[in-house]
Amino acid sequence: MGEEEGASRRPIASRSSSWAIRLSGWLARSGATPNGISLLSVVFAGIGAALIVFTTHPIAMVCAAISVQLRLVCNLLDGMVAIEGGKKTKSGPLYNEFPDRVADSLFLVAAGYACGFAWFGWLAALLAALTAYIRVFGGSVGLPQDFSGIMAKQRRMAVLTAGLIAQSIETAISTTHWSLILASAIIAAGSLVTCITRTLRLKHSLERL
């Protein structure tokens, strides 16, 4: 998740899990860099997007779902290696945000093309990026970054993962893509609601300054 710290660090429950602590510690000792781990998340996103768009086999959908989760693991570990592992860099905020936006777009646009509604994927990607923009803008004016909302990153990826697993089952028995259509619709609608709620919270916080 990059090199967030303090109020700018996304709250993640699994950060305190024993497996994450051990793995991040091992990565820090082995010479891995948080920025490199951030970039690895884009690699997993690219693999997952290719599986979604260019393959129709049920197993490919499962592998794409695994790629989504591996992307999230990278997002968790890069921040832990940076903060807990003591490997923060001055360019960390750049690697924190840009790979996330690329990874989101790769997955969501790919899902749109795969389900036959490319515009749905682009809309979901645009709204997902806008949720992050509102969050970062709040931080730029001196407020704590707001990670709230019904469709923050972890929830977007949870919906996409569920949609891919459901699509793997659907693909085994049909040629339809209702699972990915539904997942894309939920992500787009939820991201829109998240943009609205974050903007309102930002407005109220600014008025209290």
Side-chain angles (χ1 to χ4, degrees), residues 84-131:
E84 284 82 357
K87 291 196 170 186
K88 288 176 58 178
T89 63
K90 292 182 179 179
S91 61
L94 175 69
Y95 285 88
N96 172 50
E97 292 297 334
F98 279 56
D100 263 0
R101 305 291 74 76
V102 173
D104 265 348
S105 297
L106 285 171
F107 277 126
L108 298 177
V109 172
Y113 277 100
C115 72
F117 293 90
W119 66 269
F120 230 156
W122 285 105
L123 177 62
L126 173 63
L127 291 170
L130 186 56
T131 65

Side-chain angles (χ1 to χ4, degrees), residues 45-68:
I47 293 172
L51 289 170
I52 294 169
V53 173
F54 298 114
T55 59
T56 58
H57 197 282
I59 294 179
M61 295 295 102
V62 174
C63 290
I66 293 172
S67 295
V68 173

